[in-house]
Amino acid sequence: MPDWRTLRIYGGRVAAPEPPAPPSPAPPHPASTPARRLLPLVLPAIVVGVVCALILLGVSLLAERLQDVLWETLPDALGVGGFSSLWMIVMLTATGLAVGLVLRAVPGHGGPDPATTGLVDAPMRPGTVPGLLLVTVLALAGGVSLGPENPITAANIALAFWLGRRAAPGAPAELWVALAAAGTIGALFGTPIAAALILSETLASQPGPGAFWDRLFAPLAAGTAGALTMSLIAEPSFDLSLPAYSGPHWGDLLAALLIASAGALLGLLAVYAFPVAHRAFRALRHPVLALTLGGLALGLLGALGGHLTLFKGLEEVKEIAGDPDGWSAGEFAVMAVVKTAALVVAATCGFRGGRIFPAVFAGVALGLCAHALVGAVPAALAVSCAVLGVLLAVTRQGWVSLFTAAVLVSDASVLPLLCAAVLPAWLLVTGRPQMQLDGDGKALR
């Protein structure tokens, strides 16, 4: 039988106090798990990873088709500009209204308040999943500045838990949560490394039997299956094709430290604004009204920052990075601030979505602003360091922040400077509030 105990992702019970046992010498390292107990985990991990990738792919394709209708077909038929200020305001406001009405009508109302959820949470009821996926498609297509990662991960965890508990009643919930989270994250980034890095921070902080790699074995298999499925079908890429970095110099070290710290400060501004914006929208007392006004605010921000500050930001960030000299430093700064503000509004008024992709856009825009201000700072270095700082503040995930910053420029020579830049940026964000609230609306720490 598989050793289901080798995985533990969340939760736990507090046992009754027991009499203190005589002290015993601690083992030098956890005992490894025999291969015969890990091998049966491979098949369910592969199945979960493939299904998670297919669900992500299906939602993404639906959103893209609807986006084409809303932003090209419909405005062309009406004789208005698809990305005119008027159309952006109308479309984002209508998206907020539509999402609010759907959330009010569907079972489970799309799950808990998205401002209180993280990337990997406890399973929700399966009846909530259809409504959650529907509002995710509407938000992605309507131009809301959120990514698909949080709702897709939540939906996949719910489905994997529900089906897995029926297929293998003896398996703990932690197994299906880990497999679904890893499969979804692997598919989102197109590589299982991202899933391994995110889950490694969770696994390392929680006690459990088995060596670390034994506990990571099944999630890594699921993440690999999800990444391969997505890569074979959609061929995702995060490379921004920036000019190659020529190698570290003493001046680059100073630039890396300053830019990463600036990115962290920009992210912290969003973090501190997060509970304030949440209280303001909750004071309206009606979710439909909050989402409609949130959509209006997003439309106004889009009119201010331009259409590139709309949507989750993955394709848009490639457009601005494709011509780093095509905008002024002031224009890049406006994009960074507008995208950050849009992220705060979207995540607090009730839209379902993730924060990684819009944070990446804000970081790239900030990095290009630094490059435009000081041309001697290489664009690849400025972008990677700014993304690192913003992601550290928004996600508090050190490994995934480093990984994302490095993969955007696809150049290993920038890694030493990123590892140096992460230190002052982390000192700025550690101990500060997080971009996630508890049930009382207070920021987690």
Side-chain angles (χ1 to χ4, degrees), residues 119-131:
L119 183 59
V120 180
D121 289 312
M124 63 177 61
R125 292 186 294 113
T128 307
V129 171

Side-chain angles (χ1 to χ4, degrees), residues 326-350:
W327 289 269
S328 67
E331 289 172 323
F332 281 129
V334 169
M335 289 183 192
V337 172
V338 167
K339 191 67 173 183
T340 304
L343 166 60
V344 172
V345 170
T348 55
C349 72

Side-chain angles (χ1 to χ4, degrees), residues 49-50 53 182-193 195 220-236:
V50 171
T184 308
I185 296 167
L188 278 164
F189 286 90
T191 171
I193 297 176
L220 185 58
T224 301
L228 285 175
T229 301
M230 182 62 69
S231 297
L232 291 171
I233 297 175
E235 300 181 358

Side-chain angles (χ1 to χ4, degrees), residues 390-414:
V390 175
L391 283 180
L392 280 176
V394 171
T395 69
R396 300 302 159 87
Q397 292 274 353
W399 285 124
V400 77
S401 300
L402 275 168
F403 168 79
T404 306
V407 79
L408 288 174
V409 298
S410 298
D411 193 337
S413 63
V414 79

Side-chain angles (χ1 to χ4, degrees), residues 155-362:
N156 285 339
I157 286 175
L159 293 175
F161 175 77
W162 182 64
L163 295 172
R165 296 289 280 179
R166 281 153 179 77
E174 291 87 351
L175 172 71
W176 306 113
V177 172
L179 297 185
T184 308
I185 296 167
L188 278 164
F189 286 90
T191 171
I193 297 176
L197 291 175
I198 290 177
L199 292 181
S200 68
E201 295 193 25
T202 305
L203 293 173
S205 65
Q206 296 181 350
F212 174 77
W213 274 96
D214 290 335
R215 291 190 283 162
L216 193 60
F217 178 82
L220 185 58
T224 301
L228 285 175
T229 301
M230 182 62 69
S231 297
L232 291 171
I233 297 175
E235 300 181 358
S237 174
F238 286 82
D239 185 4
L240 298 181
S241 300
L242 289 167
Y245 180 56
S246 60
H249 305 280
W250 287 113
D252 292 347
L253 175 60
L254 177 60
L257 299 177
L258 292 176
I259 294 172
S261 298
L265 291 175
L266 177 62
L268 283 176
L269 286 177
V271 169
Y272 279 102
F274 199 74
V276 178
H278 184 263
R279 286 194 297 271
F281 283 114
R282 290 300 167 268
L284 298 174
R285 298 184 180 276
H286 297 286
V288 176
L289 178 60
L291 279 158
T292 303
L293 292 180
L296 173 61
L298 292 176
L300 293 172
L301 287 170
L304 174 63
H307 71 277
L308 292 176
T309 59
L310 302 180
F311 305 102
K312 64 182 180 182
L314 183 57
E315 297 303 320
E316 290 74 21
V317 81
K318 293 180 180 179
E319 185 171 343
I320 64 172
D323 186 13
D325 299 320
W327 289 269
S328 67
E331 289 172 323
F332 281 129
V334 169
M335 289 183 192
V337 172
V338 167
K339 191 67 173 183
T340 304
L343 166 60
V344 172
V345 170
T348 55
C349 72
F351 286 109
R352 272 54 176 173
R355 299 152 201 168
I356 293 177
F357 289 103
V360 167
F361 182 99

Side-chain angles (χ1 to χ4, degrees), residues 404-444:
T404 306
V407 79
L408 288 174
V409 298
S410 298
D411 193 337
S413 63
V414 79
L415 282 173
L417 291 174
L418 286 177
C419 290
V422 75
L423 301 177
W426 183 255
L427 289 177
L428 287 172
V429 304
T430 186
R432 306 286 183 179
Q434 299 183 35
M435 191 175 272
Q436 184 177 346
L437 308 179
D438 60 18
D440 297 325
K442 297 179 180 179
L444 299 178

